[in-house]
Amino acid sequence: MTTELGRAVIGVLVVDGDAGALGFLAENLAHDHFAPTAVRSADEAVAALRADAPDVMVVDVDLPGRSGLDLLGQIRDAGADEPWDSGVPVLLTSRNPSPHAVVRGIERGADDYLAKPFHYPELVARLQAAIRRARGAAVSAQLRVGPLLVDRHARRVSVHGRRVELSAKEFALLAALSKDPGRVVTKRELLRDVWGYIGNARTRTVDSHASRLRRKLAASGAGERYVANVWGVGYRLLPDDG
């Protein structure tokens, strides 16, 4: 996001059902040279995300209607048809955050969690830290292996420069494998990181998604070499011969 003078500013989407808290944050963030957008519900937040993607978000868990956790899940699980970056940094807030609630928020994909009432300068410091981490991660967000390009930040995959349309889970599977293309990622790890399963779940979902992913990459001109099955263990992006 830029100002009329062309200077980069940080766009902050603030989601809070408390009108007082919302107004306080919007006013002070604007005073501190952020560009805040303030909304009061999860549905309003989704509409705002579709209109203008923010650099960072502050989301209260206790929203009217759908909760902040539900909103966070929708953001993180967004498919390629949604315009926002599913990896946008999200700081959750809550008036009564139990340790269990904090864990749930982090597991859902929150970057940070802050209890209300909070010290405003601490909120700003945490926002700035989240943005620094996100911008640092963006530098290494792209992986190129031969004709295959995986852009984890933009959630795009291309082969020979042509985009490959993947479902949200197919992309998440490819992104998980692309972090270390030669390493075998176990099915248990993939079930945990991509599907959120805990423990030794008995399911063929990894195999079925890996098979569809391999076929789509092959049909796009990448050949059959990607998403190699290591029998009885898991998958790696590249076969043994690299």
Side-chain angles (χ1 to χ4, degrees), residues 125-142:
R126 288 175 182 262
L127 287 179
Q128 291 172 336
I131 292 164
R132 285 195 299 271
R133 290 193 298 268
R135 289 176 175 172
V139 174
S140 59
Q142 290 191 345

Side-chain angles (χ1 to χ4, degrees), residues 46 49-50 53 57 66 69-88 108 151-156 163 165-173 175 194:
V46 172
L49 283 164
R50 288 172 176 160
M57 296 179 64
R66 293 196 296 135
L69 287 179
D70 290 337
L71 173 60
L72 177 60
Q74 183 175 357
I75 293 167
R76 295 294 185 243
D77 293 338
D81 57 330
E82 294 290 6
W84 67 75
D85 173 15
S86 65
V88 59
R108 288 281 188 97
D151 189 328
R152 292 191 293 271
H153 183 72
R155 295 178 65 82
R156 292 178 184 270
R163 185 168 179 174
E165 296 294 338
L166 301 178
S167 71
K169 291 303 184 186
E170 288 165 353
F171 178 84
L173 174 59
V194 177

Side-chain angles (χ1 to χ4, degrees), residues 16 34 40 44 48 57 61 69 77 85 89 100 121 126 138 142 151 153 159 161-162 171 173 182 185 199 208 216:
D16 198 312
F34 291 87
R40 297 187 62 180
E44 291 178 4
M57 296 179 64
V61 171
L69 287 179
D77 293 338
D85 173 15
H100 176 68
R126 288 175 182 262
Q142 290 191 345
D151 189 328
H153 183 72
V159 174
R162 296 186 298 273
F171 178 84
L173 174 59
V185 185
S208 60
K216 287 184 177 182

Side-chain angles (χ1 to χ4, degrees), residues 6-76:
R7 293 181 298 178
V9 296
I10 296 173
V12 185
L13 178 55
V14 184
V15 192
D16 198 312
D18 183 329
L22 196 65
F24 170 83
L25 285 176
E27 179 180 353
N28 282 275
L29 288 169
H31 179 75
D32 288 332
H33 308 294
F34 291 87
T37 299
V39 299
R40 297 187 62 180
S41 71
D43 291 342
E44 291 178 4
V46 172
L49 283 164
R50 288 172 176 160
D52 188 12
D55 298 297
V56 66
M57 296 179 64
V58 180
V59 178
D60 189 57
V61 171
D62 308 308
L63 296 176
R66 293 196 296 135
S67 74
L69 287 179
D70 290 337
L71 173 60
L72 177 60
Q74 183 175 357
I75 293 167
R76 295 294 185 243

